[in-house]
Amino acid sequence: MPVTETTVNGRPASEYYAQFAYEKYAGAPGGAVAFPAQRDGINLFAATAYLKQDKSFILYYAEGAGTVRSNGYTAEIPLSRMFKRTGVWSVSGGSLKLGDLMTCQGLKVDGNDALLCTLDRTIGYADAVGKTATFTRSTNSSPNDRQWADYQ
């Protein structure tokens, strides 16, 4: 009996998630979500995931104080809350796994393919774990861009 791959938005899961590879469109999916405010006022995280065709990824993750809206976010992000994580991404069933950091599902946003990503493990504040952000595509960005230089 042939094994059939789980579909995401009508496409095989591996094909759906592979479309987000940096080399495919010179960009990366990213999003933000609020979480309970910490003592220092930090109340959101914003993340951008560069998925590479070799199955490696770079995740730029930042926590800040600000506001998340349906069309973006505004935040003051201290340097101490900016983190760079790397690993291997994989497709498991109908989910995209960014190492043990995030699990993403396929989603449509305004008719475009997107990702709904949940933070699985602490990167910064523990209260961010379990929060889910909608990641939409940004274009014309590179993991070598100056905006990422301060991430540790």
Side-chain angles (χ1 to χ4, degrees):
M1 189 167 130
V3 175
T4 54
E5 188 176 353
T6 303
T7 58
V8 177
N9 289 348
R11 295 164 70 179
S14 60
E15 181 184 310
Y16 181 84
Y17 294 120
Q19 74 177 311
F20 293 97
Y22 165 69
E23 295 91 343
K24 292 241 185 209
Y25 73 100
V33 66
F35 59 84
Q38 306 300 297
R39 283 193 188 133
D40 57 6
I42 301 292
N43 68 336
L44 65 80
F45 79 74
T48 300
Y50 283 94
L51 307 177
K52 298 192 174 180
Q53 287 181 323
D54 69 1
K55 301 290 193 205
S56 67
F57 72 83
I58 302 171
L59 179 70
Y60 292 101
Y61 174 96
E63 294 175 333
T67 305
V68 177
R69 297 176 307 284
S70 61
N71 63 345
Y73 69 96
T74 54
E76 291 290 325
I77 298 174
L79 287 175
S80 64
R81 307 303 312 162
M82 296 165 65
F83 307 95
K84 175 184 176 180
R85 297 291 182 263
T86 59
V88 175
W89 65 271
S90 62
V91 177
S92 177
S95 300
L96 170 68
K97 301 283 289 174
L98 300 183
D100 64 349
L101 298 175
M102 286 188 161
T103 301
C104 305
Q105 308 297 322
L107 177 73
K108 286 277 191 194
V109 175
D110 298 327
N112 298 309
D113 288 338
L115 301 171
L116 191 64
C117 297
T118 302
L119 186 65
D120 294 330
R121 185 171 67 77
T122 302
I123 296 175
Y125 282 119
D127 282 350
V129 174
K131 298 301 179 195
T132 301
T134 299
F135 280 40
T136 55
R137 294 186 208 219
S138 64
T139 54
N140 301 320
S141 62
S142 161
N144 301 317
D145 287 350
R146 176 74 190 103
Q147 66 179 340
W148 308 121
D150 293 329
Y151 281 70
Q152 303 297 316

